[in-house]
Amino acid sequence: MECNKHPGELIQRLCANCNVYVCLECVSLNHSGHTFKKFLDIMEEKKKELEHIVKLSRDQTLEDLEKKAERAKKQKEAFCEEIQKNVDMVQKRADVLKSTVDAVRNGYLQEMEKTKDDHVKEFEDAEEKLRETIRSVKCLIEGYDLVLKSDNQSSVIECSRNAEHEIEKTIPNISIPNYSHQNLSFPEVEEEIKKLFVQVEDENDLSSDYVECEGSSDESDPADMKFTCSTLTRNRRSPIRVKRNNSRALNRKTNRILLSADIRTPARMKVGRDDQNVSSIFAAHSGEAWMNITGGRLASEIQRVQKHGQISDRITREAEDFSIGPADKLYTTELVGSLIFQYNLQDKTFSTLTDLSPNTVKGIKVLRSGDLAVCLLDKDNFTISKQSKRTIRILNPAGKFLSDIEFAGNSSNKLFVNPHRVEERMDDFCVVDRLSVNEGRLIVVSKSSKVRFTYTGFEKDPKHRFDPRDVVAASDDSIYIADRNYGIHQLTPLGLFARYLITYEDSLFRPLAVTIDDEQTVWVGCEKGIVQRLKTQCCDVFIEESDIPESCA
């Protein structure tokens, strides 16, 4: 190779100081006093480096790649097998539905044919009698014609006396069937189709929208499925349910197929990005819900989402919590701040209702009276002292102070450590009180500051600390709690643990918010912008005696 700086001169050395190849002219001029390496020495050094790289690649890199390739192959086969199982299950259920629809159709047509045959027979009998009557009347008329032609006076007089009576006697009392305006009774297709939407025979585990099947799909037989009458409306969480195993542990290990609370409504919807959370949610009715989408690179906002996932309205405002009030008023608390805002949903105007500085506001709830209940704290930490301010402040609709719920009864004992969310239940307040970053409790206190009960979770496993983030009260006074570490807790009106409505074992991911609409459908807001909907029923509330300690029982 020739030197770039000195044409005609060949490269002779490698300057170790500058790490460049040089010729003899460069050595004497620009690299005087530097250390140089010969090509042979460089080749030996690079040869050792290359041998080391080849050895590492052969011993480790190739082995790791082969293991990864084998693992990828196994995962692909397992994935394809799982997909095929689900495809087979769906196909078998489709075959069952098709055969059932065919049976309904055949039954309907057979009943119609039977009804047709019965009525046609009545028409034919009436027609035959009428034709016989016609023949008899014709014979009488022909006989009277002969009498008239004979000019026999006595015969004419006698026939004229009896003719009308004889003709009326010949005509029987025949009624022609008339079904043109009658409501014929046939089997109701709608009632038969309802039978396609079946409920689980074993109601021991109705906590999710996942249908569990006995064994694998290859071994199951659609004829073994037990069908029972249900409803075509949203009174069931899933359109198809099959007989489950009696063991809940076995149910969790068997196949799960996600089905929706409504045929037209997905049980799970994606309303935000993976780096966003649904921190608050409110559903006034089953058709839509308001959601507070926070976090992520995008601006936080409050969305109005239809049950099918379409966004019908949005408010670009960073909020800690929100609540819907009368006259289409939406109230929000400032994210890491002290302001409470009011948004008019009709004319789209936004205004500041009040400023509670220097305190920080958290959760907010519009009460049935129209007043506001706000979680208020002087410092957003988990250390309290006599000077600490941790309270539920009651404000009127104009934002003026009414009262504080801070102490237990008439004592000086503070009720809350870090009030996070508040919910109204009859004459009580249900307050999510944070004890640390990943732990909390639920305190139910009357409006006169009397503690009803405190709930600290059902699982005593330190790996699953009770981490409540939101609470909602149902129409029957039962309580639903969003536990970020486990799932949705359902409590009886007296504060006893009833069951887990849905857990992470049912693919519920990090719930942060919960609400319940007028049709008893629970909406759960989660991390990663996920919202899940599942149906609840009054008969679903139960307590498993085997899982409750004797002290709780």
Side-chain angles (χ1 to χ4, degrees):
M1 295 182 294
E2 290 188 359
C3 179
N4 294 329
K5 296 183 179 181
H6 305 94
E9 296 290 334
L10 299 179
I11 295 296
Q12 301 289 340
R13 300 283 189 275
L14 172 67
C15 178
N17 298 69
C18 303
N19 196 24
V20 294
Y21 293 100
V22 295
C23 64
L24 295 179
E25 290 290 333
C26 294
V27 170
S28 59
L29 295 177
N30 300 327
H31 298 269
S32 178
H34 291 187
T35 302
F36 300 95
K37 292 183 178 180
K38 294 182 178 180
F39 280 160
L40 184 61
D41 297 335
I42 296 172
M43 184 192 71
E44 291 296 330
E45 181 181 343
K46 298 299 180 182
K47 181 178 180 181
K48 291 180 181 179
E49 291 181 0
L50 182 59
E51 288 176 349
H52 180 68
I53 293 173
V54 171
K55 185 176 183 300
L56 288 178
S57 300
R58 181 183 297 109
D59 297 343
Q60 297 181 9
T61 307
L62 284 178
E63 184 178 356
D64 292 342
L65 291 175
E66 289 175 356
K67 288 182 180 179
K68 288 183 179 180
E70 186 65 24
R71 187 164 62 252
K73 180 181 178 181
K74 291 181 179 179
Q75 291 179 353
K76 180 193 72 172
E77 293 174 352
F79 172 76
C80 294
E81 182 180 357
E82 184 67 21
I83 291 296
Q84 189 59 43
K85 285 182 180 180
N86 292 338
V87 169
D88 295 341
M89 178 62 65
V90 172
Q91 184 60 46
K92 289 184 178 182
R93 292 185 177 181
D95 293 340
V96 173
L97 285 175
K98 183 177 182 301
S99 62
T100 310
V101 171
D102 291 342
V104 173
R105 179 199 61 191
N106 295 336
Y108 191 108
L109 295 179
Q110 289 175 5
E111 189 67 21
M112 290 289 291
E113 289 294 333
K114 183 177 180 300
T115 303
K116 174 186 173 183
D117 295 341
D118 294 342
H119 295 329
V120 168
K121 184 66 169 57
E122 294 179 8
F123 281 111
E124 291 176 349
D125 293 344
E127 183 182 3
E128 184 63 27
K129 290 180 180 180
L130 288 173
R131 294 196 180 279
E132 291 179 359
T133 303
I134 291 172
R135 288 194 293 268
S136 300
V137 172
K138 283 184 177 180
C139 290
L140 288 175
I141 293 175
E142 290 175 357
Y144 293 141
D145 286 339
L146 293 176
V147 171
L148 292 174
K149 292 178 181 179
S150 65
D151 296 332
N152 188 326
Q153 296 179 358
S154 60
S155 298
V156 171
I157 294 172
E158 183 67 24
C159 288
S160 65
R161 183 184 302 125
N162 300 323
E164 184 176 359
H165 176 70
E166 291 294 334
I167 292 176
E168 290 179 356
K169 182 180 178 181
T170 305
I171 300 175
N173 185 14
I174 302 175
S175 61
I176 300 176
N178 182 14
Y179 298 104
S180 59
H181 299 90
Q182 295 185 17
N183 294 324
L184 302 181
S185 177
F186 298 113
E188 292 291 339
V189 177
E190 181 182 1
E191 294 297 329
E192 295 295 333
I193 293 298
K194 287 178 182 179
K195 296 179 182 179
L196 302 181
F197 297 84
V198 297
Q199 64 185 28
V200 181
E201 184 182 48
D202 180 11
E203 293 286 341
N204 285 338
D205 186 12
L206 290 178
S207 60
S208 72
D209 276 355
Y210 289 84
V211 174
E212 303 175 10
C213 318
E214 293 187 69
S216 65
S217 59
D218 296 332
E219 300 173 352
S220 60
D221 187 356
D224 295 336
M225 295 184 181
K226 180 167 182 62
F227 285 82
T228 57
C229 184
S230 179
T231 176
L232 192 60
T233 60
R234 300 185 187 92
N235 292 337
R236 292 279 179 241
R237 290 183 301 282
S238 62
I240 301 177
R241 290 190 179 275
V242 298
K243 184 178 179 181
R244 282 200 182 113
N245 294 312
N246 291 327
S247 172
R248 298 181 69 182
L250 289 177
N251 286 334
R252 290 168 178 167
K253 295 179 181 179
T254 51
N255 299 328
R256 288 182 169 91
I257 297 180
L258 178 60
L259 297 170
S260 63
D262 189 306
I263 304 175
R264 301 158 298 180
T265 306
R268 172 179 290 189
M269 65 180 73
K270 183 79 169 176
V271 297
R273 297 164 57 94
D274 287 344
D275 56 352
Q276 292 182 312
N277 302 323
V278 182
S279 60
S280 303
I281 189 168
F282 176 79
H285 54 83
S286 61
E288 64 183 18
W290 286 88
M291 306 172 189
N292 187 22
I293 314 298
T294 60
R297 296 185 300 244
L298 300 180
S300 301
E301 61 182 11
I302 300 175
Q303 297 179 358
R304 188 179 188 177
V305 182
Q306 303 296 320
K307 66 179 181 179
H308 304 293
Q310 296 91 346
I311 299 176
S312 58
D313 197 0
R314 55 167 31 106
I315 302 172
T316 306
R317 175 76 60 168
E318 290 188 347
E320 170 67 29
D321 192 18
F322 73 94
S323 184
I324 306 292
D328 287 336
K329 297 290 182 60
L330 186 145
Y331 299 89
T332 67
T333 53
E334 185 181 14
L335 183 64
V336 193
S338 59
L339 299 178
I340 298 179
F341 302 100
Q342 177 181 280
Y343 186 80
N344 192 315
L345 299 177
Q346 292 183 348
D347 54 17
K348 309 297 184 182
T349 58
F350 208 89
S351 61
T352 300
L353 183 68
T354 184
D355 185 358
L356 299 178
S357 59
N359 300 311
T360 302
V361 290
K362 289 288 188 177
I364 187 171
K365 176 66 178 180
V366 179
L367 308 181
R368 287 189 295 271
S369 62
D371 297 334
L372 304 178
V374 183
C375 297
L376 187 74
L377 52 157
D378 56 345
K379 295 181 180 180
D380 192 5
N381 57 31
F382 307 102
T383 304
I384 59 174
S385 62
K386 292 182 179 181
Q387 292 75 30
S388 299
K389 189 70 173 179
R390 312 293 165 89
T391 181
I392 301 298
R393 176 156 294 182
I394 309 302
L395 308 174
N396 66 11
K400 302 300 182 181
F401 172 81
L402 294 179
S403 63
D404 273 342
I405 298 178
E406 183 176 5
F407 301 100
N410 297 324
S411 67
S412 59
N413 298 326
K414 293 184 180 295
L415 287 169
F416 313 112
V417 175
N418 190 310
H420 181 69
R421 293 289 185 268
V422 60
E423 168 73 0
E424 183 183 24
R425 188 189 74 152
M426 298 298 290
D427 294 330
D428 301 334
F429 288 119
C430 304
V431 182
V432 174
D433 188 27
R434 306 290 301 156
L435 302 178
S436 65
V437 176
N438 58 356
E439 190 175 6
R441 60 182 176 178
L442 176 74
I443 299 178
V444 178
V445 59
S446 68
K447 294 182 179 179
S448 59
S449 301
K450 180 181 178 180
V451 178
R452 303 291 191 191
F453 61 84
T454 301
Y455 178 72
T456 57
F458 182 69
E459 296 284 341
K460 304 306 179 185
D461 187 355
K463 295 182 180 179
H464 299 297
R465 289 186 177 182
F466 184 51
D467 189 11
R469 296 305 179 97
D470 198 9
V471 61
V472 66
S475 58
D476 60 351
D477 289 342
S478 59
I479 300 174
Y480 297 88
I481 308 169
D483 177 8
R484 181 177 177 272
N485 282 340
Y486 203 71
I488 305 299
H489 299 239
Q490 182 176 355
L491 306 185
T492 66
L494 298 178
L496 298 177
F497 175 80
R499 65 167 178 173
Y500 289 112
L501 187 66
I502 185 172
T503 68
Y504 66 82
E505 294 180 357
D506 303 304
S507 297
L508 178 68
F509 182 78
R510 300 293 189 185
L512 300 177
V514 61
T515 186
I516 186 167
D517 60 26
D518 55 353
E519 292 188 356
Q520 301 304 304
T521 299
V522 176
W523 299 61
V524 182
C526 308
E527 293 183 0
K528 294 191 174 182
I530 295 173
V531 173
Q532 269 189 271
R533 299 172 63 249
L534 59 152
K535 190 71 176 176
T536 62
Q537 291 178 323
C538 294
C539 61
D540 289 345
V541 180
F542 63 93
I543 299 177
E544 280 194 294
E545 297 179 357
S546 60
D547 292 341
I548 298 181
E550 294 181 359
S551 59
C552 295

